[in-house]
Amino acid sequence: MCWLRSLSAVTFCLQVLLTTGQDWCPHENPSLTLWSDTIGTWGGQVFDQYSNVSVTGNVLLDMDIEVFSITVESGASLVWSPAAEPRVRVHYILVYGSLIIGSEDCPFTNYTLISFVGSPGMYSIPDFDEKFLGVAAGGTLEVHGEPRIGWTKLDKTVEKCAHGDCLFFEQINDLSKTDIVKFQPGLVITVLDPNTGLPDKYTFIRLDSNKQSKVTSQVNLLKTFLNNVPDGKIVAMEAQRYVPNTDTSLMETAGLFDFLEEIVDLSVTNQMAIRNIEKYDAYSLLFVKGNSSCKQETLIKTDAVPKALDAVSTMTENGIFFKAHSHVDGTDIKQSYVNVISASSNSSEFIIDLLDDVSLWREGDVVLIASTDYDWTQVELADVVDCPSCLPNQIKVQMIPKYTHYGEVYMNTDMRAEVALLSRNIVFEGTDIEGGDDDTFGGHMKFLKDFESIHIEGAEFFDMGQKNFLGRYPINFYMCEDVDTGPNPPYIRSNSIHDTYFRCIAIRGTSGVLVEDNVCYDCFGHGYFLEDGSEKRTVFDGNLGLGQRSTNLIPTDSNPVAFFITNPQTYLRNNVAAGGWRAGFWFVFPKEPIGDSTGLGFMALDEAKHTAIYEFYNNVAHSYNQAGLLIDLLLKPDGKTSGNNFYEPLKDPLNPRSADKEVKIERYTAYKNRLWNAYISGGYITLEECSFSDSSQSVYFERGSYQWKSVIRSVFLGETPNSGEPSPGYNRSRPQTSDLESIVQGFVLNEGPIKLLESWFGDFDDNANYKSMGIGFQPNDGGDISPRSSVEEVLFGYDDPTNLRVFDGNATTPGFTDTATDLVSAFVDKDGTLTSKAGHTLVKPLPFHLSESCINNDRWGLAVCPQSYGQLSVSYSGNAVATMTRDDDPSLSHTSSNLARFLVMKGFVTSYILHFDTAIPNTFTIKANAIDKVGGVRIGVCIPRNAKFQLKINKPKKATKLKKWTSVSTLQDVDDDTTGAKYFLDTSVGIVFFKLFHSATLNENNENDCPKGVCTTVVVKIKSGDKSESDCTQRAYAVYNRTVTFPPADINTFPDFPTDMPTPPEVWGAGPTRHGMFDDMTDSFD
């Protein structure tokens, strides 16, 4: 056996045991001496709460201790005894040697509580500040609690306890039955029938007066009220807002406490907790009148700094569960409330079915059940109670579900609620209520560069972190650089981190940390946090995050997320972001590392924006106010974010000329995110085998960079049986509470180019209140929209026109307008699976866009045309309005303001004339998108008849001045141009003609709308002439009228489209998302 006798021996011992397979049980080290051995270990020293203890040898902690500080010196060790249940109260612990609570081979299975006490400003330790557990260079921290699965999922829906069904009475919602005074401080007393659970009568007494006579009068009213309550009745009493204004002496003089003890305990005992009640304490009492053995009283004391408190008392009588609840919010007293509930005991204690073996979850544990609706605050906590009959994948809980928690995999979309274990046997507590600590000044852990070993698993952290101080988080790796090069790299695994004052796990200037199977619940700021953008090779595997709350210490914390990822060299697999403020996962990269990592060479300038995200596999995000997955914005040195991320991953991130590299977002599941299930800017990004449901827009791509963005083998669902809590006027929850008529879109065509392949759509049900569609354009968009975006091999699980495959509205449709960009939207149905017309383009049905070959689909608001389209954008200064007319029919025109955009048929099948409504701008630029060598367009531009002008063009031939162009004598010469930069000028009409085409050809693999990333662009500059001669079309068409014959459409209207496939193909979509959690590719419990 290998024993540790020094710090270096710890490392050597771990390495030997790893290679030999021997168990390491640190408490068995024979060199350990007992903390309780005052003589042998401490030479007769006796410690108290003011002592600064220095551990210089190997000590076994076998007792409760309260000291000011503990310093484990280099070469020394402090080891928890598995035979004890130590309670440690301390201001700080500083580790240069080893602090060890169990090991992987011999986990610590008893209970231990480490409480960090103290208020801010008492002292400051260099590098660590105050109220901490700190591991310095050379230090070791080994924490190994009882191995228990940290979270799982429901295997069956938990239905809410509906009023009138299992819920008999809820005072907070049934004020018509009790009519209590809601907004005054005092005691609320409700009498309930033990056989029905319904209220018999109620009263309210106010005791905050400073006059004895008024307090006595109120107490006498209470005496009369309770004396008239028959024996056997249930009495509930709660503190509303607060009870005494200053102290309890007036209530005691009035005889309140003695009377209550005579009523509850049948004699004066001087033991009831209400005797100690103070202002802003939460208090509740339940008792059976005349039965002193049947009562529960709960008093929760406030801190020196007011906070939100809950006092809950419960009992069960005659098969009815009763609950009295006092919520007192000392930070905002208006948010306080009281509630009394009665419900069927079968509904207050029930068995829930889970996916995994949770047989080690036991009576007394606390679990949370995540929301499966838009509102993440529908998360509910429950107490585990004894259940001898439960199967390994079942627990029995005590709770009255206020919300339904969905537990199904529907259409290959896993929407089963997460269930997490908050309780652990090793507990790090950051705030000590009895000590009167600051409400948000918890403890923190910090690890510095060159630590020897850090492994934390199976521990619970609560009231940790310090809200008003950067860098003080429950767990914080600070500037440790590369930590994954040794034989036993650090990990943070299977911990419960909840109710924290700042974050859960933070990593700064440190690369190679494994963060696995943790639960992060209810914290201020981002939960899992990569701080500077220098953090590489972080592995997030199997973590659960939810309930991140807004704060303002750094700018992005005002919209916090569960996973804040600032470096693309990050692995994310099997994680769930289960609800919160802004988003579940946010990838936001700086141009180079910021903060304390600035200038240290961790990442080169722009390396992050050219680096492909290492891994994003089998992750889930739901119940966010904005987005499930967010890849957007640039992180600036001041911590703020700005504009476009210009994310453009390359095979060699340090070589801007390197080939593109694809980023795969694989088996991502997202649902019930209010705005977007995925909002992605930039990048050569493919969403593969993903599942999306119940969002305003499931997938939204913003251009960011000119690289392809694709979705393949995925499932899109509109509004599923996971209906949630009904919004006003509806039978289901709606994503946007501020706009209950907001549209529902699955795949959104925006900017682009974008490809949608092999994807299935279902549950986009039409209704009279709002539009729902599988595919649609981004409404009211202001950016360029690529006409090269396409769909291919799409399937629909519903009939059209009963429900809509695709739709685009106009200004008469709620949720839509007629912006210039909206009007030039287009995309291609490559194989005809959407429209039955392979290779056709779907366009807005403006006459300017159409030919006789097009087919209108009025119910879609679109036309389907065999032509290919490009886009011309005209930019200039001033307020002139640009108009483009079709030469084959001058009555067909389209008008647009700066930046003016026009959808044009390419391939020279027709031609166009551009003019302005007022004076011609001095200079204007015409840019051709999706125009190449074979797909070009001829254009005429109206100019003054006596004009002197300049032309510039870049492709296919560069001509920076007019003299470098070739002037030709006929319009036919322009049409015959194959080299570029030829123009025909007719001064009598006041028009100049030229062609827009490119030297290269676009193919389907070209990610940019312009060949080689360069669009053909012409700059027209009017140097002189009468610029009021802005419209030459009447003169031009008298000379240059053009006849074009388009073949007629083969059908007049589209037939109905039947269902393609009622359910998605088995391999499309993400499917069950618990895969991989336990090295098993199926749900782990069968």
Side-chain angles (χ1 to χ4, degrees):
M1 180 60 67
C2 180
W3 301 112
L4 59 92
R5 296 182 182 275
S6 67
L7 182 59
S8 59
V10 173
T11 306
F12 174 76
C13 186
L14 285 171
Q15 293 174 357
V16 168
L17 293 171
L18 286 171
T19 55
T20 62
Q22 298 181 50
D23 289 345
W24 178 50
C25 297
H27 62 278
E28 295 178 353
N29 183 352
S31 69
L32 290 165
T33 61
L34 300 178
W35 185 293
S36 61
D37 185 355
T38 304
I39 302 300
T41 302
W42 306 112
Q45 293 183 80
V46 177
F47 303 126
D48 60 21
Q49 67 265 34
Y50 305 108
S51 300
N52 294 302
V53 179
S54 178
V55 178
T56 57
N58 297 324
V59 177
L60 187 68
L61 183 62
D62 62 336
M63 61 179 287
D64 295 349
I65 58 173
E66 181 174 4
V67 296
F68 191 89
S69 72
I70 301 171
T71 300
V72 183
E73 303 291 354
S74 179
S77 62
L78 178 61
V79 181
W80 260 240
S81 169
E85 294 187 348
R87 268 71 167 177
V88 177
R89 287 173 54 82
V90 65
H91 286 259
Y92 70 86
I93 301 173
L94 181 54
V95 181
Y96 296 102
S98 301
L99 191 151
I100 301 173
I101 309 176
S103 67
E104 290 185 10
D105 298 316
C106 292
F108 185 88
T109 57
N110 272 0
Y111 179 82
T112 185
L113 172 65
I114 300 96
S115 299
F116 297 95
V117 301
S119 300
M122 296 177 65
Y123 58 90
S124 181
I125 304 300
D127 296 323
F128 297 100
D129 301 301
E130 52 188 329
K131 204 171 181 181
F132 64 86
L133 190 162
V135 180
T140 288
L141 178 63
E142 296 287 335
V143 177
H144 302 270
E146 182 183 12
R148 298 203 284 171
I149 182 172
W151 64 275
T152 180
K153 284 177 174 278
L154 289 179
D155 198 31
K156 184 179 179 181
T157 297
V158 172
E159 301 288 350
K160 74 175 182 179
C161 186
H163 202 288
D165 182 7
C166 67
L167 182 63
F168 305 139
F169 172 71
E170 184 175 18
Q171 188 177 64
I172 201 168
N173 292 323
D174 293 349
L175 295 180
S176 61
K177 293 183 180 179
T178 58
D179 200 26
I180 62 170
V181 180
K182 291 178 61 177
F183 306 115
Q184 295 182 10
L187 289 174
V188 176
I189 302 95
T190 306
V191 179
L192 302 108
D193 190 301
N195 298 308
T196 66
L198 297 177
D200 283 347
K201 58 181 180 176
Y202 64 91
T203 194
F204 170 80
I205 63 168
R206 186 165 182 174
L207 299 167
D208 61 323
S209 174
N210 291 321
K211 293 184 177 180
Q212 182 67 64
S213 60
K214 288 188 176 182
V215 173
T216 300
S217 175
Q218 290 289 299
V219 170
N220 288 337
L221 289 175
L222 177 64
K223 290 179 179 179
T224 300
F225 178 84
L226 288 179
N227 282 330
N228 288 321
V229 172
D231 286 350
K233 295 289 186 176
I234 307 294
V235 180
M237 185 164 67
E238 309 87 41
Q240 179 171 270
R241 295 198 172 191
Y242 56 87
V243 178
N245 193 32
T246 52
D247 58 48
T248 61
S249 60
L250 297 181
M251 295 187 294
E252 185 168 8
T253 300
L256 173 65
F257 303 136
D258 287 353
F259 170 72
L260 285 176
E261 289 184 344
E262 289 173 345
I263 288 289
V264 176
D265 294 330
L266 306 185
S267 64
V268 176
T269 62
N270 293 312
Q271 297 297 313
M272 283 189 67
I274 196 172
R275 290 181 177 272
N276 300 310
I277 196 169
E278 297 178 287
K279 191 172 185 178
Y280 299 129
D281 289 349
Y283 175 80
S284 65
L285 170 68
L286 268 176
F287 66 96
V288 176
K289 176 78 180 297
N291 185 349
S292 61
S293 65
C294 196
K295 67 174 182 178
Q296 186 175 44
E297 184 187 29
T298 307
L299 174 67
I300 303 297
K301 304 290 291 180
T302 188
D303 291 350
V305 176
K307 64 188 297 186
L309 303 173
D310 291 276
V312 177
S313 299
T314 64
M315 68 168 53
T316 299
E317 286 289 311
N318 302 323
I320 300 176
F321 174 80
F322 295 91
K323 176 181 176 181
H325 181 189
S326 166
H327 175 82
V328 177
D329 191 338
T331 64
D332 183 1
I333 202 64
K334 294 180 180 179
Q335 301 301 317
S336 302
Y337 61 85
V338 299
N339 198 16
V340 177
I341 291 176
S342 63
S344 167
S345 60
N346 293 330
S347 299
S348 63
E349 288 191 3
F350 55 93
I351 292 173
I352 60 175
D353 296 302
L354 304 171
L355 285 182
D356 298 300
D357 185 337
V358 292
S359 53
L360 292 179
W361 295 8
R362 58 181 68 94
E363 183 178 10
D365 285 339
V366 177
V367 299
L368 69 80
I369 307 177
S371 168
T372 51
D373 203 352
Y374 297 109
D375 182 1
W376 77 266
T377 64
Q378 291 179 20
V379 60
E380 298 190 80
L381 302 184
D383 296 316
V384 179
V385 298
D386 186 42
C387 182
S389 64
C390 281
L391 298 173
N393 70 318
Q394 294 177 325
I395 57 172
K396 191 174 187 179
V397 296
Q398 184 184 84
M399 66 179 296
I400 300 175
K402 294 179 65 177
Y403 309 101
T404 294
H405 301 269
Y406 198 68
E408 306 293 334
V409 179
Y410 176 76
M411 299 297 181
N412 292 358
T413 304
D414 191 343
M415 293 182 279
R416 296 174 292 190
E418 295 75 28
V419 182
L421 177 69
L422 296 183
S423 306
R424 298 292 193 277
N425 67 301
I426 299 175
V427 180
F428 294 93
E429 174 196 34
T431 297
D432 173 50
I433 293 175
E434 293 179 3
D437 292 351
D438 186 290
D439 187 36
T440 60
F441 188 70
H444 69 104
M445 280 192 184
K446 187 176 183 181
F447 316 134
L448 299 186
K449 182 182 177 183
D450 295 327
F451 62 76
E452 192 68 43
S453 178
I454 300 289
H455 300 104
I456 304 174
E457 60 181 338
E460 179 181 352
F461 298 76
F462 74 91
D463 284 348
M464 295 286 281
Q466 297 174 7
K467 184 180 179 183
N468 299 316
F469 299 91
L470 283 173
R472 304 187 192 179
Y473 313 128
I475 296 175
N476 181 19
F477 287 86
Y478 178 75
M479 304 304 293
C480 302
E481 300 185 5
D482 294 331
V483 296
D484 55 348
T485 57
N488 198 19
Y491 59 73
I492 308 298
R493 185 165 66 196
S494 298
N495 301 290
S496 165
I497 310 167
H498 63 92
D499 298 279
T500 75
Y501 302 129
F502 209 3
R503 314 209 190 288
C504 286
I505 298 173
I507 301 173
R508 186 173 205 176
T510 304
S511 297
V513 177
L514 172 62
V515 181
E516 185 176 30
D517 295 344
N518 299 284
V519 175
C520 168
Y521 167 61
D522 198 1
C523 70
F524 287 99
H526 306 304
Y528 301 96
F529 181 60
L530 302 185
E531 191 155 358
D532 288 347
S534 62
E535 302 79 20
K536 298 182 282 189
R537 304 183 306 283
T538 309
V539 178
F540 291 103
D541 189 351
N543 301 284
L544 174 64
L546 69 161
Q548 281 61 57
R549 299 179 185 272
S550 179
T551 186
N552 57 10
L553 209 53
I554 66 171
T556 58
D557 276 327
S558 62
N559 281 299
V561 301
F563 295 83
F564 187 78
I565 309 300
T566 58
N567 192 298
Q569 296 184 35
T570 304
Y571 302 87
L572 289 111
R573 62 177 81 104
N574 308 315
N575 303 286
V576 175
W581 203 272
R582 180 175 193 176
F585 303 89
W586 187 7
F587 289 86
V588 54
F589 309 139
K591 292 179 70 65
E592 58 184 334
I594 63 174
D596 291 352
S597 299
T598 301
L600 299 182
F602 292 129
M603 296 280 286
L605 181 68
D606 286 336
E607 182 180 355
K609 86 168 188 178
H610 291 311
T611 299
I613 295 168
Y614 273 16
E615 183 180 6
F616 193 91
Y617 177 81
N618 193 41
N619 297 295
V620 180
H622 63 87
S623 308
Y624 283 91
N625 285 338
Q626 292 187 14
L629 169 62
L630 185 62
I631 304 176
D632 189 37
L633 301 178
L634 179 73
L635 185 62
K636 299 195 297 184
D638 61 3
K640 297 180 181 179
T641 57
S642 66
N644 199 323
N645 62 8
F646 297 104
Y647 184 49
E648 188 179 37
L650 305 175
K651 289 185 177 179
D652 181 357
L654 301 179
N655 179 8
R657 297 182 179 274
S658 176
D660 296 338
K661 184 170 183 178
E662 183 180 22
V663 172
K664 284 196 173 184
I665 306 297
E666 298 180 272
R667 297 192 65 245
Y668 168 56
T669 297
Y671 64 94
K672 292 287 186 175
N673 298 296
R674 292 192 184 276
L675 299 184
W676 308 283
N677 281 321
Y679 184 106
I680 297 173
S681 175
Y684 179 13
I685 296 176
T686 299
L687 302 176
E688 184 172 325
E689 295 181 4
C690 299
S691 292
F692 306 103
S693 80
D694 295 277
S695 181
S696 293
Q697 297 178 322
S698 271
V699 176
Y700 180 98
F701 285 115
E702 188 175 290
R703 180 168 286 148
S705 68
Y706 283 98
Q707 292 179 316
W708 275 113
K709 298 156 188 66
S710 304
V711 179
I712 185 170
R713 291 190 294 279
S714 294
V715 168
F716 292 83
L717 299 168
E719 295 180 307
T720 67
N722 179 14
S723 56
E725 284 294 296
S727 295
Y730 293 89
N731 62 357
R732 61 180 305 112
S733 58
R734 297 247 49 225
Q736 298 187 44
T737 55
S738 60
D739 181 9
L740 295 178
E741 295 181 350
S742 58
I743 63 175
V744 176
Q745 295 176 300
F747 183 75
V748 180
L749 290 145
N750 175 59
E751 297 187 341
I754 308 168
K755 292 180 180 178
L756 172 66
L757 306 97
E758 300 178 44
S759 292
W760 183 91
F761 294 81
D763 291 322
F764 290 92
D765 297 336
D766 195 24
N767 65 84
N769 298 308
Y770 52 88
K771 285 295 183 182
S772 180
M773 67 221 67
I775 300 170
F777 294 112
Q778 169 63 13
N780 320 319
D781 187 65
D784 294 328
I785 295 178
S786 170
R788 296 178 62 239
S789 293
S790 63
V791 301
E792 185 175 2
E793 295 187 58
V794 290
L795 298 173
F796 294 85
Y798 52 85
D799 298 340
D800 182 311
T802 304
N803 301 306
L804 297 171
R805 291 184 168 203
V806 60
F807 177 79
D808 195 66
N810 53 40
T812 66
T813 312
F816 292 86
T817 60
D818 284 335
T819 67
T821 312
D822 285 336
L823 296 176
V824 298
S825 302
F827 70 99
V828 179
D829 180 5
K830 294 192 69 173
D831 63 348
T833 52
L834 174 61
T835 66
S836 76
K837 299 295 180 183
H840 282 42
T841 304
L842 288 86
V843 300
K844 290 275 189 147
L846 304 182
F848 181 77
H849 300 155
L850 306 181
S851 71
E852 290 82 355
S853 307
C854 297
I855 312 163
N856 277 340
N857 190 325
D858 294 335
R859 61 180 180 261
W860 290 356
L862 295 166
V864 181
C865 302
Q867 284 77 33
S868 295
Y869 290 82
Q871 187 185 105
L872 301 183
S873 59
V874 183
S875 57
Y876 48 89
S877 299
N879 298 317
V881 175
T883 298
M884 195 168 281
T885 55
R886 287 243 306 259
D887 293 351
D888 60 299
D889 184 350
S891 68
L892 303 178
S893 64
H894 181 58
T895 298
S896 183
S897 301
N898 188 24
L899 288 164
R901 294 182 175 88
F902 304 92
L903 192 67
V904 296
M905 298 180 190
K906 63 183 185 179
F908 308 107
V909 295
T910 188
S911 50
Y912 301 84
I913 291 178
L914 172 69
H915 72 275
F916 295 90
D917 68 330
T918 56
I920 302 171
N922 293 334
T923 303
F924 52 95
T925 301
I926 305 169
K927 178 182 175 183
N929 292 311
I931 298 292
D932 64 359
K933 186 174 184 179
V934 297
V937 63
R938 190 191 80 196
I939 185 172
V941 177
C942 293
I943 62 174
R945 280 175 282 186
N946 60 345
K948 289 185 179 180
F949 65 96
Q950 281 285 357
L951 294 177
K952 294 181 182 180
I953 192 168
N954 62 343
K955 291 289 181 180
K957 177 183 177 180
K958 186 175 182 180
T960 58
K961 297 180 179 179
L962 188 62
K963 64 182 180 180
K964 294 187 177 182
W965 286 62
T966 300
S967 175
V968 297
S969 57
T970 68
L971 184 55
Q972 187 61 48
D973 292 333
V974 172
D975 289 338
D976 294 339
D977 180 18
T978 59
T979 59
K982 291 183 180 181
Y983 72 94
F984 170 64
L985 173 65
D986 187 331
T987 56
S988 64
V989 172
I991 191 167
V992 59
F993 295 96
F994 48 83
K995 284 170 68 174
L996 296 169
F997 64 105
H998 207 282
S999 57
T1001 302
L1002 286 169
N1003 62 57
E1004 64 177 19
N1005 294 320
N1006 288 123
E1007 67 276 4
N1008 202 303
D1009 266 348
C1010 301
K1012 300 181 180 179
V1014 180
C1015 297
T1016 298
T1017 303
V1018 172
V1019 179
V1020 181
K1021 183 175 183 180
I1022 308 300
K1023 301 176 70 175
S1024 66
D1026 184 0
K1027 296 174 185 175
S1028 65
E1029 289 191 346
S1030 58
D1031 184 358
C1032 67
T1033 53
Q1034 188 173 357
R1035 297 189 299 271
Y1037 288 128
V1039 182
Y1040 302 109
N1041 199 6
R1042 180 175 184 176
T1043 300
V1044 177
T1045 301
F1046 295 97
D1050 57 358
I1051 57 174
N1052 293 323
T1053 59
F1054 279 102
D1056 294 348
F1057 292 98
T1059 297
D1060 295 316
M1061 184 179 288
T1063 59
E1066 185 177 355
V1067 295
W1068 290 12
T1073 58
R1074 194 65 175 153
H1075 293 295
M1077 293 298 293
F1078 303 98
D1079 301 318
D1080 180 5
M1081 293 306 293
T1082 60
D1083 285 338
S1084 62
F1085 187 87
D1086 186 3

